[in-house]
Amino acid sequence: DRRARPARPSRASPVHAATPPHTNPTMAPEAVKKSPVGIVADLPAQKKKPSEIRAEKNEATREEGNALFKAGNVTAAAAKYTECIDSDPQDALSLANRAECYLRARQFHLALRDADAARAADPAKPKALYKRAMALNGLGRYPEAVKTLKELLAVEPEDAAAKNALAECEMLTQQAFMGDYNMPALLFGRLAMSFRRCADYVGPVAVAPIPEKGRGVVVTKDVKAGDLLCVSSPLAVAPLRAGAEMALIQGLVAAAARAPADMKLISCLPVESDAAKAGEAPVPDLALFRKHLSKGDETFPDPMPSQETFARHCAAVVKTAAVRNATSVGVYALPSFVNHGCAPNACKVVIGHTLFLRAARDMQKGEEVVMKYFEVTSPEPERAALAKRFGIDACACQRCKLERVGEAEAAA
């Protein structure tokens, strides 16, 4: 049959041209125009988990803290890190960063607490070990700092900062236990800047009751001239100029606020009082002066003394115990108990701000250690006038007693 048949639609027919491949011809035109990606984008967004939201917020807050830290505002930076830690107590990065802020503020006991918490939160990251070592170093607990740095170098053997810190802490440990100081290097500046700090050292001395003087320092064994008796860094120091007394008081208050051990130490320092004159003031334990042996269990007193009361005590300490040098004046813990003598058997040398006290002559066990507070080459009446400026009504040293007897006999 040659009758005409309907033509088959070609591949280019309007029906096929209007229908893209892999689409459903029954879909609405607006849906057909969209790609699969667009369809997925229109799906409802999945809600973030609370932990993810908290992590994002903490990250933003931590970055704010980092910016403040770089600008030198460590107090504000620590506050930002604290926000992160309050939100997530296991935020190891924020704990380590806040520990660094406390190190810069010399609040070493707080830095140690945060470094330990950061290490516990993320033991895989050794960053907190360095913070811990620096906090222990600042607290004077050098053997523990050495142990921590060796632990760090076991996992990070090429850490240059840790290597330098280990060398310094080993040197400070040797000083604190043995009194082994490289004096020529200290005197002539041959040590690197980071090594010019000295550890405190307590030699063959102890604080003891002294008749007519209250408390003083005695040798606990026979010593030879030149023997090192003690080394002390200042609790507070100020340039020798107008306003030095107030600067020292403020320095003592600040030191006590930073560390419980320093508050306890400052609280026992000598002040001129009726109890001290009568010899009734308590004798401090030498463990207070040996921070390298501390177990880190010091706490602030409860209740805390009022700021006004403690400031008055610090003022009395400065008046009684401040030691003057050529260009500065400072309060030194153990040397503050050494009484004045016009015939001194000990002499002090100050290098930087560190005080070295050595025997000026041979001394027998139990003998009191005395040093001069002022120039003692003048006659007794002139020395007596100078002594009153230091709160000494009448010098009780053997030389002054003998000279007063001689003057009385000469007058008679």
Side-chain angles (χ1 to χ4, degrees):
D1 187 1
R2 296 179 177 278
R3 289 179 294 182
R5 294 178 181 178
R8 293 180 180 178
S10 67
R11 291 183 182 274
S13 65
V15 174
H16 289 283
T19 307
H22 310 297
T23 60
N24 187 347
T26 63
M27 291 177 65
E30 60 273 14
V32 173
K33 294 178 182 178
K34 293 183 177 181
S35 66
V37 175
I39 295 172
V40 173
D42 284 345
L43 293 175
Q46 293 184 351
K47 292 183 178 180
K48 293 182 179 179
K49 296 179 180 179
S51 59
E52 295 175 338
I53 297 173
R54 182 174 63 245
E56 290 180 0
K57 182 180 178 182
N58 283 358
E59 178 66 24
T61 304
R62 191 184 306 114
E63 288 301 323
E64 293 177 16
N66 293 345
L68 289 166
F69 182 86
K70 290 178 182 177
N73 193 345
V74 295
T75 302
K80 288 295 181 181
Y81 299 137
T82 300
E83 289 182 31
C84 299
I85 296 165
D86 289 342
S87 175
D88 179 10
Q90 297 301 309
D91 186 347
L93 189 55
S94 294
L95 284 164
N97 289 352
R98 191 172 70 173
E100 182 64 31
C101 291
Y102 287 143
L103 286 173
R104 300 294 178 94
R106 302 185 63 79
Q107 294 179 296
F108 300 117
H109 67 296
L110 296 179
L112 179 61
R113 182 197 65 187
D114 276 2
D116 285 341
R119 181 66 173 164
D122 191 355
K125 293 183 179 179
K127 178 181 179 180
L129 284 174
Y130 186 79
K131 313 292 185 189
R132 183 177 196 275
M134 292 301 95
L136 290 167
N137 187 357
L139 291 169
R141 293 160 61 180
Y142 310 119
E144 293 178 75
V146 168
K147 181 179 178 181
T148 302
L149 288 166
K150 287 182 177 179
E151 183 182 350
L152 172 58
L153 287 169
V155 294
E156 297 284 348
E158 300 304 320
D159 191 324
K163 289 180 179 179
N164 290 334
L166 177 60
E168 180 175 358
C169 288
E170 287 179 336
M171 179 191 72
L172 293 170
T173 301
Q174 189 74 3
Q175 292 175 353
F177 279 94
M178 305 300 296
D180 184 8
Y181 298 84
N182 188 340
M183 297 304 294
L186 287 171
L187 284 167
F188 300 108
R190 294 175 183 168
L191 291 179
M193 285 299 295
S194 61
F195 284 71
R196 291 185 181 177
R197 177 170 162 239
C198 295
D200 285 3
Y201 168 70
V202 180
V205 294
V207 181
I210 303 295
E212 300 181 24
K213 297 181 181 179
R215 295 174 294 181
V217 174
V218 299
V219 291
T220 56
K221 67 175 187 179
D222 294 350
V223 298
K224 297 292 185 182
D227 285 355
L228 186 61
L229 302 179
C230 73
V231 178
S232 180
S233 300
L235 291 163
V237 66
L240 191 57
R241 61 189 182 197
E245 183 176 351
M246 181 55 66
L248 287 178
I249 295 170
Q250 293 172 344
L252 289 176
V253 172
R258 286 194 298 262
D262 284 343
M263 172 168 274
K264 189 173 183 180
L265 188 57
I266 293 168
S267 297
C268 79
L269 292 183
V271 296
E272 191 176 24
S273 65
D274 293 338
K277 291 177 180 178
E280 299 173 0
V283 173
D285 189 341
L286 279 184
L288 287 173
F289 309 99
R290 292 179 168 135
K291 294 181 179 180
H292 57 289
L293 300 178
S294 169
K295 299 185 183 298
D297 53 358
E298 299 88 356
T299 58
F300 284 109
D302 186 19
M304 287 277 287
S306 69
Q307 188 171 0
E308 182 180 354
T309 300
F310 192 76
R312 283 200 301 267
H313 171 75
C314 291
V317 168
V318 169
K319 182 179 178 181
T320 304
V323 176
R324 296 187 182 185
N325 309 311
T327 59
S328 64
V329 57
V331 175
Y332 299 84
L334 185 54
S336 68
F337 288 92
V338 179
N339 290 313
H340 166 77
C342 293
N345 56 16
C347 61
K348 62 179 174 66
V349 174
V350 178
I351 302 176
H353 292 308
T354 304
L355 188 151
F356 294 77
L357 188 67
R358 292 184 179 274
R361 60 171 175 78
D362 295 352
M363 286 185 274
Q364 295 182 343
K365 179 181 178 180
E367 186 175 346
E368 183 187 5
V369 178
V370 292
M371 64 180 182
K372 63 178 183 179
Y373 288 6
F374 48 83
E375 185 54 54
V376 294
T377 56
S378 54
E380 192 276 333
E382 295 181 18
R383 298 199 309 273
L386 287 171
K388 289 182 180 179
R389 298 181 186 179
F390 291 84
I392 304 172
D393 293 332
C395 182
C397 75
Q398 192 66 21
R399 176 187 172 189
C400 285
K401 289 180 178 179
L402 290 173
E403 289 186 14
R404 281 194 289 267
V405 170
E407 289 175 0
E409 291 179 349

